[in-house]
Every structure is written in C-alpha cells, then in structure tokens.
Amino acid sequence: MGTVYLIGAGPGDPGLLTLRGARILRRAAVVVHDALVDARILAMAPPQAERIDVGKRYGRSFPQSAIHHLLIEAARRARTVVRLKGGDPFVFGRGGEEVAALVAAGVRFEIVPGVSAALGAAAYAGIPLTHRDHASAVTFVTGQENPARDQDRIDWQALAKTRGTLAIYMGVHHLRDIAAQLIAGGAAPDTPAAVVESATQPNQRTVTATLGDIAEAAQQADIDTPALVLVGAVVRLQRNWFEERRRTRKVRREAAVSGD
Ligand SMILES: C[S@@+](CC[C@H](N)C(=O)[O-])C[C@H]1O[C@@H](n2cnc3c(N)ncnc32)[C@H](O)[C@@H]1O
C-alpha cells in the first residue's frame, strides 16, 4: 500500500510550490491533478509518472466519488501517489472529503499545504490582507455554496458587519448578488473592492472599483474564472507591482524592437 500526498500547488506561478511539495512530486508514480495546475509543476514529476487530469472547470465536473476511487486504487499499486490541487488542499479544495475517503479505505496520507488563491492574489495584486490601521480580520468565503446545504447559507449581511477584509473565492459569477447582500447588511457602497483574475500568472488582471460598482466593472472588463474578489479598506492601499512590472517590460521590449 502506498501513500497519498495531498499537495497544494499554489495559485499558478510554479515558483510558489513548496520545497516539500516539489521533493515529493519528483518521486511520484501517479499524479492526480486539477485542471488549474501549471504545466511546469506537472513537468516536475518523473516522465514515466502516470498523470491523471480530474480537473473541474466552471460548468463541468468530474464526480468527487470517482476521484476518491482513483486515489485509493492508485495507492494499491503505487508507492507515491500525489493528489495535486490548486492553491491549498484544505481551502475550498475538498481535501477534507478526500482525506475521509482515504481514512475509510485504510490508505496512508500526508498533506502538504500550498499558497491559497487569496494569499497569492493579494500578494501579486499588492493588496495587504490585513493592516494595523485598516483591517484586523480577514475572512475566506466561497461565493458558490453547496446547493445541498440549504439550512446554513452564508450570512452575507452578517459578514458585512465584520469590517475586516473579505476574500471571496468562486464569487465572480455571483458578484452582483453578493455585493447587493453586503450593502443590504450595512457595508458602505463605496467600500473599495478588487477582482484579481488569474492571480500570479503572466496574464493576471486586476479590476478595482467600489463595492457598489465592482460587478459592473468586472463585467465590463470581461473578467473570467479563476478570479478572486477582495473587499475592504485595504484595497485602497494597492501597489500593483506585478502587473506594472509586466507592462514596463513590455514597453521596453517594444521600444527595443522598434529601435527607440
Ligand atoms: C475550487 S476553489 C479552489 C481554491 C484552492 N484550493 C485555493 O486554496 O486557492 C477555485 C477558486 O479559487 C480561486 N482561484 C484559484 N486560483 C486562482 C487564481 N490563480 N487567481 C484567482 N483566483 C483563483 C477562484 O476563486 C476559483 O474559482
């Protein structure tokens, strides 16, 4: 019986994978991975390793029970099985369900944390999640709830009262409704908000607006998944170093080509 390693691959930039994650990946016999995992991270596994894409994208899903079955079956024939997940395995990653299935089947497991999208998006968009003067709390919340859990829906109106930073995963397609509920709960319509698309990746884009306008601004900019929404006073402190550096380099390259 092998061991299943649930490894967080981080939000995109392969440099954000942990050293421990990379070390295990380099000796993996089977890699069961999400769609959002960067090809350069997958390439760290040995060439002969079996790679299985169980990726889920908006509107299409690979049954979770089938993933459990795959992991258990792989552990029966291989010594090192890697379950490579975007971000961190235990932050909106269904890692808890996978661990429960492995435990029930008597399969050994380990968990290697990853840089979750909220951390990656905040860092690469240059927005501090907390700040001594502006936010003493940060809440990670999903904008897309499990439809089977009707009785304990997210209380957006209560979240509006926390006054900390909200980091909303999977919220971009529900942004109009989420913003309306936060405002109904007492959040000021002019609270700063940002949507970071494809955070930490070369095509990262950040749109900022007020909470009242953010849904419209994201739609106008044609923002798509994966995207992370940040709401709170800290958005006003943004220093967009990553996108600005990319723009500067592009201008320099174009100038070099045209001989200016
Ligand atoms: C199913 S959740 C997985 C979260 C992951 N386990 C983590 O810790 O980041 C997928 C959501 O994470 C966010 N996300 C993941 N990668 C992202 C990225 N590179 N940029 C922005 N948001 C991202 C998006 O909100 C996306 O819809």
Side-chain angles (χ1 to χ4, degrees), residues 11-12 36 86-89 91-93 115-118 121 168-171 196-201 225-228:
L36 290 176
D88 180 89
V91 180
F92 304 123
V115 174
S116 192
I168 308 169
Y169 291 69
M170 296 169 276
V196 189
E197 179 192 68
S198 298
T200 80
Q201 296 168 19
T225 54
L228 192 111

mmCIF file of all heavy atoms in Angstrom, residues 11-12 36 86-89 91-93 115-118 121 168-171 196-201 225-228, ligand 1:
data_model
loop_
_atom_site.group_PDB
_atom_site.id
_atom_site.type_symbol
_atom_site.label_atom_id
_atom_site.label_comp_id
_atom_site.label_asym_id
_atom_site.label_seq_id
_atom_site.Cartn_x
_atom_site.Cartn_y
_atom_site.Cartn_z
ATOM 1 N N PRO A 11 -1.394 29.044 -6.490
ATOM 2 C CA PRO A 11 -2.392 29.627 -7.398
ATOM 3 C C PRO A 11 -1.983 29.688 -8.871
ATOM 4 O O PRO A 11 -2.787 30.069 -9.707
ATOM 5 C CB PRO A 11 -2.558 31.044 -6.843
ATOM 6 C CG PRO A 11 -1.268 31.334 -6.149
ATOM 7 C CD PRO A 11 -0.682 30.043 -5.688
ATOM 8 N N GLY A 12 -0.769 29.357 -9.209
ATOM 9 C CA GLY A 12 -0.408 29.407 -10.634
ATOM 10 C C GLY A 12 1.088 29.472 -10.858
ATOM 11 O O GLY A 12 1.683 28.598 -11.465
ATOM 12 N N LEU A 36 -6.365 23.446 -13.033
ATOM 13 C CA LEU A 36 -5.672 24.733 -12.928
ATOM 14 C C LEU A 36 -4.187 24.603 -12.599
ATOM 15 O O LEU A 36 -3.481 25.597 -12.522
ATOM 16 C CB LEU A 36 -6.348 25.604 -11.859
ATOM 17 C CG LEU A 36 -7.740 26.142 -12.197
ATOM 18 C CD1 LEU A 36 -8.327 26.903 -11.015
ATOM 19 C CD2 LEU A 36 -7.694 27.058 -13.420
ATOM 20 N N GLY A 86 -5.005 22.819 -6.820
ATOM 21 C CA GLY A 86 -4.727 24.250 -6.921
ATOM 22 C C GLY A 86 -4.755 24.890 -5.535
ATOM 23 O O GLY A 86 -5.526 24.457 -4.670
ATOM 24 N N GLY A 87 -3.913 25.873 -5.303
ATOM 25 C CA GLY A 87 -3.919 26.576 -4.018
ATOM 26 C C GLY A 87 -3.528 25.668 -2.882
ATOM 27 O O GLY A 87 -2.499 24.988 -2.933
ATOM 28 N N ASP A 88 -4.366 25.640 -1.852
ATOM 29 C CA ASP A 88 -4.142 24.788 -0.680
ATOM 30 C C ASP A 88 -5.221 23.692 -0.670
ATOM 31 O O ASP A 88 -6.386 23.975 -0.964
ATOM 32 C CB ASP A 88 -4.247 25.633 0.600
ATOM 33 C CG ASP A 88 -4.023 24.780 1.829
ATOM 34 O OD1 ASP A 88 -2.863 24.645 2.244
ATOM 35 O OD2 ASP A 88 -5.002 24.213 2.361
ATOM 36 N N PRO A 89 -4.835 22.457 -0.312
ATOM 37 C CA PRO A 89 -5.823 21.362 -0.368
ATOM 38 C C PRO A 89 -6.997 21.531 0.602
ATOM 39 O O PRO A 89 -8.074 20.998 0.355
ATOM 40 C CB PRO A 89 -5.011 20.119 0.036
ATOM 41 C CG PRO A 89 -3.582 20.506 -0.042
ATOM 42 C CD PRO A 89 -3.502 21.991 0.077
ATOM 43 N N VAL A 91 -8.376 24.497 1.594
ATOM 44 C CA VAL A 91 -9.150 25.744 1.445
ATOM 45 C C VAL A 91 -10.012 25.596 0.194
ATOM 46 O O VAL A 91 -9.507 25.658 -0.936
ATOM 47 C CB VAL A 91 -8.226 26.985 1.325
ATOM 48 C CG1 VAL A 91 -9.071 28.255 1.169
ATOM 49 C CG2 VAL A 91 -7.329 27.112 2.549
ATOM 50 N N PHE A 92 -11.279 25.362 0.378
ATOM 51 C CA PHE A 92 -12.228 25.168 -0.723
ATOM 52 C C PHE A 92 -11.682 24.193 -1.765
ATOM 53 O O PHE A 92 -11.865 24.403 -2.974
ATOM 54 C CB PHE A 92 -12.600 26.510 -1.372
ATOM 55 C CG PHE A 92 -13.145 27.515 -0.394
ATOM 56 C CD1 PHE A 92 -12.566 28.757 -0.234
ATOM 57 C CD2 PHE A 92 -14.234 27.185 0.409
ATOM 58 C CE1 PHE A 92 -13.055 29.674 0.694
ATOM 59 C CE2 PHE A 92 -14.735 28.094 1.337
ATOM 60 C CZ PHE A 92 -14.143 29.336 1.473
ATOM 61 N N GLY A 93 -10.994 23.169 -1.298
ATOM 62 C CA GLY A 93 -10.371 22.236 -2.243
ATOM 63 C C GLY A 93 -10.878 20.809 -2.092
ATOM 64 O O GLY A 93 -10.367 19.905 -2.747
ATOM 65 N N VAL A 115 0.064 27.688 -1.275
ATOM 66 C CA VAL A 115 -0.330 29.105 -1.200
ATOM 67 C C VAL A 115 -1.746 29.206 -1.756
ATOM 68 O O VAL A 115 -1.981 28.945 -2.942
ATOM 69 C CB VAL A 115 0.633 29.989 -2.034
ATOM 70 C CG1 VAL A 115 0.136 31.430 -2.061
ATOM 71 C CG2 VAL A 115 2.045 29.925 -1.460
ATOM 72 N N SER A 116 -2.669 29.534 -0.891
ATOM 73 C CA SER A 116 -4.058 29.625 -1.323
ATOM 74 C C SER A 116 -4.269 30.871 -2.199
ATOM 75 O O SER A 116 -3.524 31.846 -2.095
ATOM 76 C CB SER A 116 -4.964 29.679 -0.090
ATOM 77 O OG SER A 116 -6.295 29.494 -0.490
ATOM 78 N N ALA A 117 -5.298 30.808 -3.048
ATOM 79 C CA ALA A 117 -5.524 31.885 -4.024
ATOM 80 C C ALA A 117 -5.631 33.257 -3.364
ATOM 81 O O ALA A 117 -5.147 34.251 -3.916
ATOM 82 C CB ALA A 117 -6.772 31.586 -4.849
ATOM 83 N N ALA A 118 -6.247 33.319 -2.172
ATOM 84 C CA ALA A 118 -6.406 34.634 -1.522
ATOM 85 C C ALA A 118 -5.039 35.227 -1.206
ATOM 86 O O ALA A 118 -4.817 36.431 -1.381
ATOM 87 C CB ALA A 118 -7.231 34.506 -0.247
ATOM 88 N N ALA A 121 -3.295 36.039 -4.676
ATOM 89 C CA ALA A 121 -3.921 37.183 -5.352
ATOM 90 C C ALA A 121 -3.579 38.474 -4.614
ATOM 91 O O ALA A 121 -3.220 39.482 -5.233
ATOM 92 C CB ALA A 121 -5.433 36.994 -5.418
ATOM 93 N N ILE A 168 -13.166 36.511 -1.358
ATOM 94 C CA ILE A 168 -14.277 35.685 -1.847
ATOM 95 C C ILE A 168 -13.807 34.802 -3.003
ATOM 96 O O ILE A 168 -13.418 35.296 -4.068
ATOM 97 C CB ILE A 168 -15.463 36.572 -2.288
ATOM 98 C CG1 ILE A 168 -15.836 37.554 -1.161
ATOM 99 C CG2 ILE A 168 -16.664 35.713 -2.684
ATOM 100 C CD1 ILE A 168 -16.797 38.649 -1.579
ATOM 101 N N TYR A 169 -13.830 33.504 -2.788
ATOM 102 C CA TYR A 169 -13.476 32.520 -3.815
ATOM 103 C C TYR A 169 -14.739 32.201 -4.626
ATOM 104 O O TYR A 169 -15.842 32.164 -4.071
ATOM 105 C CB TYR A 169 -13.002 31.208 -3.163
ATOM 106 C CG TYR A 169 -11.677 31.273 -2.442
ATOM 107 C CD1 TYR A 169 -11.524 31.982 -1.265
ATOM 108 C CD2 TYR A 169 -10.577 30.580 -2.939
ATOM 109 C CE1 TYR A 169 -10.310 32.028 -0.602
ATOM 110 C CE2 TYR A 169 -9.348 30.609 -2.274
ATOM 111 C CZ TYR A 169 -9.227 31.340 -1.105
ATOM 112 O OH TYR A 169 -8.016 31.374 -0.444
ATOM 113 N N MET A 170 -14.559 31.884 -5.885
ATOM 114 C CA MET A 170 -15.666 31.429 -6.741
ATOM 115 C C MET A 170 -16.843 32.400 -6.719
ATOM 116 O O MET A 170 -17.997 31.980 -6.820
ATOM 117 C CB MET A 170 -16.140 30.032 -6.291
ATOM 118 C CG MET A 170 -15.072 28.974 -6.469
ATOM 119 S SD MET A 170 -15.479 27.414 -5.681
ATOM 120 C CE MET A 170 -14.927 27.714 -4.010
ATOM 121 N N GLY A 171 -16.540 33.684 -6.596
ATOM 122 C CA GLY A 171 -17.624 34.647 -6.438
ATOM 123 C C GLY A 171 -17.897 35.485 -7.673
ATOM 124 O O GLY A 171 -18.870 36.227 -7.715
ATOM 125 N N VAL A 196 -9.280 39.938 -8.824
ATOM 126 C CA VAL A 196 -7.988 39.567 -9.401
ATOM 127 C C VAL A 196 -8.190 38.287 -10.221
ATOM 128 O O VAL A 196 -8.511 37.236 -9.687
ATOM 129 C CB VAL A 196 -6.921 39.326 -8.305
ATOM 130 C CG1 VAL A 196 -5.536 39.164 -8.935
ATOM 131 C CG2 VAL A 196 -6.922 40.458 -7.281
ATOM 132 N N GLU A 197 -8.001 38.421 -11.528
ATOM 133 C CA GLU A 197 -8.173 37.287 -12.440
ATOM 134 C C GLU A 197 -6.806 36.641 -12.688
ATOM 135 O O GLU A 197 -5.815 37.343 -12.853
ATOM 136 C CB GLU A 197 -8.770 37.793 -13.760
ATOM 137 C CG GLU A 197 -8.989 36.731 -14.817
ATOM 138 C CD GLU A 197 -9.289 37.366 -16.170
ATOM 139 O OE1 GLU A 197 -8.365 38.009 -16.745
ATOM 140 O OE2 GLU A 197 -10.415 37.249 -16.653
ATOM 141 N N SER A 198 -6.769 35.316 -12.708
ATOM 142 C CA SER A 198 -5.546 34.556 -12.997
ATOM 143 C C SER A 198 -4.355 35.059 -12.176
ATOM 144 O O SER A 198 -3.265 35.317 -12.712
ATOM 145 C CB SER A 198 -5.206 34.622 -14.494
ATOM 146 O OG SER A 198 -6.233 34.045 -15.231
ATOM 147 N N ALA A 199 -4.577 35.177 -10.884
ATOM 148 C CA ALA A 199 -3.545 35.724 -9.996
ATOM 149 C C ALA A 199 -2.261 34.919 -10.077
ATOM 150 O O ALA A 199 -2.285 33.698 -10.176
ATOM 151 C CB ALA A 199 -4.060 35.709 -8.557
ATOM 152 N N THR A 200 -1.156 35.635 -10.030
ATOM 153 C CA THR A 200 0.228 35.132 -10.036
ATOM 154 C C THR A 200 0.667 34.584 -11.394
ATOM 155 O O THR A 200 1.785 34.109 -11.538
ATOM 156 C CB THR A 200 0.507 34.036 -8.949
ATOM 157 O OG1 THR A 200 0.035 32.773 -9.403
ATOM 158 C CG2 THR A 200 -0.085 34.383 -7.601
ATOM 159 N N GLN A 201 -0.245 34.637 -12.371
ATOM 160 C CA GLN A 201 0.098 34.130 -13.703
ATOM 161 C C GLN A 201 0.425 35.309 -14.628
ATOM 162 O O GLN A 201 0.031 36.442 -14.347
ATOM 163 C CB GLN A 201 -1.056 33.296 -14.250
ATOM 164 C CG GLN A 201 -1.277 32.055 -13.388
ATOM 165 C CD GLN A 201 -2.564 31.336 -13.681
ATOM 166 O OE1 GLN A 201 -3.156 31.522 -14.723
ATOM 167 N NE2 GLN A 201 -3.010 30.513 -12.754
ATOM 168 N N THR A 225 -13.179 33.309 -14.763
ATOM 169 C CA THR A 225 -12.527 32.467 -13.752
ATOM 170 C C THR A 225 -11.149 32.030 -14.269
ATOM 171 O O THR A 225 -10.959 31.948 -15.488
ATOM 172 C CB THR A 225 -13.365 31.206 -13.467
ATOM 173 O OG1 THR A 225 -13.607 30.555 -14.696
ATOM 174 C CG2 THR A 225 -14.648 31.554 -12.779
ATOM 175 N N PRO A 226 -10.180 31.719 -13.371
ATOM 176 C CA PRO A 226 -10.303 31.850 -11.941
ATOM 177 C C PRO A 226 -10.112 33.300 -11.514
ATOM 178 O O PRO A 226 -9.239 33.990 -12.037
ATOM 179 C CB PRO A 226 -9.153 30.977 -11.423
ATOM 180 C CG PRO A 226 -8.100 31.094 -12.470
ATOM 181 C CD PRO A 226 -8.836 31.218 -13.773
ATOM 182 N N ALA A 227 -10.944 33.717 -10.594
ATOM 183 C CA ALA A 227 -10.817 35.098 -10.118
ATOM 184 C C ALA A 227 -11.167 35.149 -8.641
ATOM 185 O O ALA A 227 -12.029 34.407 -8.173
ATOM 186 C CB ALA A 227 -11.733 36.021 -10.906
ATOM 187 N N LEU A 228 -10.484 36.018 -7.944
ATOM 188 C CA LEU A 228 -10.693 36.166 -6.514
ATOM 189 C C LEU A 228 -11.126 37.600 -6.213
ATOM 190 O O LEU A 228 -10.562 38.535 -6.777
ATOM 191 C CB LEU A 228 -9.392 35.851 -5.766
ATOM 192 C CG LEU A 228 -9.680 35.722 -4.294
ATOM 193 C CD1 LEU A 228 -9.511 34.282 -3.860
ATOM 194 C CD2 LEU A 228 -8.840 36.639 -3.490
HETATM 195 C C1 LIG B 1 -12.351 25.329 -6.077
HETATM 196 S S1 LIG B 1 -11.580 26.783 -5.479
HETATM 197 C C2 LIG B 1 -10.004 26.138 -5.071
HETATM 198 C C3 LIG B 1 -9.261 27.012 -4.112
HETATM 199 C C4 LIG B 1 -7.865 26.488 -3.817
HETATM 200 N N1 LIG B 1 -7.913 25.266 -3.070
HETATM 201 C C5 LIG B 1 -7.035 27.525 -3.064
HETATM 202 O O1 LIG B 1 -6.652 27.304 -1.921
HETATM 203 O O2 LIG B 1 -6.750 28.563 -3.676
HETATM 204 C C6 LIG B 1 -11.262 27.634 -7.009
HETATM 205 C C7 LIG B 1 -11.351 29.132 -6.822
HETATM 206 O O3 LIG B 1 -10.135 29.622 -6.257
HETATM 207 C C8 LIG B 1 -9.856 30.890 -6.785
HETATM 208 N N2 LIG B 1 -8.606 30.812 -7.549
HETATM 209 C C9 LIG B 1 -7.835 29.735 -7.758
HETATM 210 N N3 LIG B 1 -6.730 30.051 -8.464
HETATM 211 C C10 LIG B 1 -6.825 31.372 -8.698
HETATM 212 C C11 LIG B 1 -6.008 32.310 -9.384
HETATM 213 N N4 LIG B 1 -4.839 31.953 -9.954
HETATM 214 N N5 LIG B 1 -6.424 33.600 -9.447
HETATM 215 C C12 LIG B 1 -7.542 33.988 -8.867
HETATM 216 N N6 LIG B 1 -8.367 33.158 -8.204
HETATM 217 C C13 LIG B 1 -8.006 31.874 -8.121
HETATM 218 C C14 LIG B 1 -11.009 31.268 -7.703
HETATM 219 O O4 LIG B 1 -11.955 31.972 -6.938
HETATM 220 C C15 LIG B 1 -11.508 29.903 -8.117
HETATM 221 O O5 LIG B 1 -12.847 29.957 -8.546
#
